[in-house]
Amino acid sequence: MSFLRPFATSVFAASMISLSACGGSSSSTPEYTVPADAGLVVKAVASIRWDATEYTATAGDIKVFFANDDSVKHILVVLKDDSVVGDLELIVNKRGDFDEGTINLEAGEYRIYCTIPGHGGMNSTLTVS
Ligand SMILES: [Cu+2]
């Protein structure tokens, strides 16, 4: 993940003013910075769920940022008609972990899915247009 740092640093500097205006975050909030150019942001949240039931993205190369606000491991893949699309596989092992990658998707309906056994409920719609 070290490749993130130069970019994250510049974004952080640019957003310092707005962040400080918010009064800071609670100590229980996992620490990570969502890249400003992320085309799709997915978070795993408590009770083995995604943070949304429906996601949207713009067709083409989509930078996916995946963060873990839950306490167990999750593995994100994109499905189309029950088959994994592309070679994107993002893994977050514990709370506060994040991963990112890029996938090229044409317009259409996909699903954001977790491949961990027992996590079948992590199955949300992704609409690419
Ligand atoms: Cu999962």
Side-chain angles (χ1 to χ4, degrees):
M1 293 176 203
S2 59
F3 64 89
L4 267 176
R5 285 187 186 129
F7 176 78
T9 300
S10 61
V11 169
F12 182 70
S15 57
M16 275 297 284
I17 294 171
S18 57
L19 280 177
S20 58
C22 297
S25 55
S26 84
S27 59
S28 64
T29 302
E31 294 186 10
Y32 47 75
T33 301
V34 177
D37 63 343
L40 173 62
V41 177
V42 178
K43 296 178 183 179
V45 296
S47 304
I48 309 183
R49 292 181 299 114
W50 299 130
D51 64 331
T53 56
E54 297 182 9
Y55 296 93
T56 59
T58 302
D61 284 329
I62 300 166
K63 184 172 184 175
V64 182
F65 181 83
F66 178 34
N68 197 350
D69 289 0
D70 194 13
S71 53
V72 300
K73 179 179 181 177
H74 298 286
I75 301 175
L76 181 158
V77 297
V78 177
L79 299 182
K80 172 78 169 176
D81 299 329
D82 294 326
S83 296
V84 174
V85 178
D87 58 1
L88 184 76
E89 184 181 78
L90 302 178
I91 301 172
V92 290
N93 287 297
K94 62 185 187 304
R95 182 175 173 80
D97 274 7
F98 60 91
D99 197 4
E100 69 164 33
T102 300
I103 187 169
N104 187 283
L105 296 176
E106 300 174 350
E109 292 286 319
Y110 302 84
R111 284 184 292 128
I112 302 294
Y113 186 74
C114 179
T115 63
I116 301 280
H119 292 202
M122 304 181 84
N123 187 352
S124 293
T125 301
L126 169 63
T127 302
V128 176
S129 55

